[in-house]
């Protein structure tokens, strides 16, 4: 999802597009992979001294709710990244740096065959490990 798409998404859902919200979206649009709320606060602090965790978390959860950000959990911490809406895919996620690599494989076809008579509402498939850059570091 691109910055303008995300801003349009907010507007269409009736939310204000403040400078702070645009800066948050920009941070994730430029990030290479998942980032924590702490990463975002460190990015925002120079421009918005004293920015509160409440403000950051409220916006992160709003952006997740409206589909601008997607989330995962790693080592008990919630991580966020800009949503990938162009095509269906899954991710390898580096446990050290949070970078992601798209995976085209989807296990749902096989799962659907085993879940006859079940109503499936969605799915998420992620693989965790260490990326090549972190392995050599």
């Amino acid at each position: 999802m691109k910055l303008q798409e995300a801003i349009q998404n907010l507007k269409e859902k009736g939310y204000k597009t403040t400078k702070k919200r645009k800066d948050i979206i920009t941070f994730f649009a430029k990030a290479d992979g998942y980032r924590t709320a702490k990463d975002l606060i460190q990015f925002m602090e120079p421009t918005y001294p004293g920015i509160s965790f409440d403000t950051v978390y409220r916006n992160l959860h709003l952006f997740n709710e409206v589909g601008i950000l997607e989330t995962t959990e790693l080592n008990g911490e919630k991580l966020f990244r800009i949503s990938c809406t162009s095509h269906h895919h899954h991710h390898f996620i580096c446990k050290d740096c949070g970078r992601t690599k798209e995976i085209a494989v989807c296990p749902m076809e096989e799962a659907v065959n085993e879940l006859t008579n079940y109503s499936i509402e969605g799915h998420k498939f992620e693989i965790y490990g260490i990326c090549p850059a972190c392995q050599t570091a």
Side-chain angles (χ1 to χ4, degrees), residues 56-111:
V56 167
Y57 278 106
R58 214 174 19 258
N59 280 289
L60 288 173
H61 290 289
L62 168 66
F63 292 164
N64 178 244
E65 192 177 294
V66 299
I68 293 170
L69 294 179
E70 53 189 53
T71 66
T72 193
E73 196 170 306
L74 186 61
N75 301 324
E77 185 171 24
K78 200 164 217 174
L79 303 170
F80 301 85
R81 69 173 269 136
I82 201 83
S83 287
C84 304
T85 58
S86 58
H87 61 284
H88 182 81
H89 64 276
H90 299 283
H91 294 112
F92 169 89
I93 304 167
C94 180
K95 291 170 53 176
D96 282 354
C97 68
R99 282 191 198 107
T100 61
K101 177 172 177 34
E102 281 188 21
I103 303 168
V105 174
C106 180
M108 278 308 291
E109 189 173 314
E110 188 173 322

Side-chain angles (χ1 to χ4, degrees), residues 10 20-21 23-29 31 33-44 51-72 77-83:
L10 271 181
K20 196 177 289 181
R21 285 183 172 166
D23 288 348
I24 291 171
I25 295 168
T26 299
F27 170 76
F28 285 102
Y34 284 92
R35 296 292 171 253
T36 65
K38 184 179 176 183
D39 294 334
L40 176 59
I41 288 172
Q42 288 174 343
F43 169 78
M44 300 286 284
I51 189 168
S52 72
F53 275 99
D54 285 346
T55 298
V56 167
Y57 278 106
R58 214 174 19 258
N59 280 289
L60 288 173
H61 290 289
L62 168 66
F63 292 164
N64 178 244
E65 192 177 294
V66 299
I68 293 170
L69 294 179
E70 53 189 53
T71 66
T72 193
E77 185 171 24
K78 200 164 217 174
L79 303 170
F80 301 85
R81 69 173 269 136
I82 201 83
S83 287

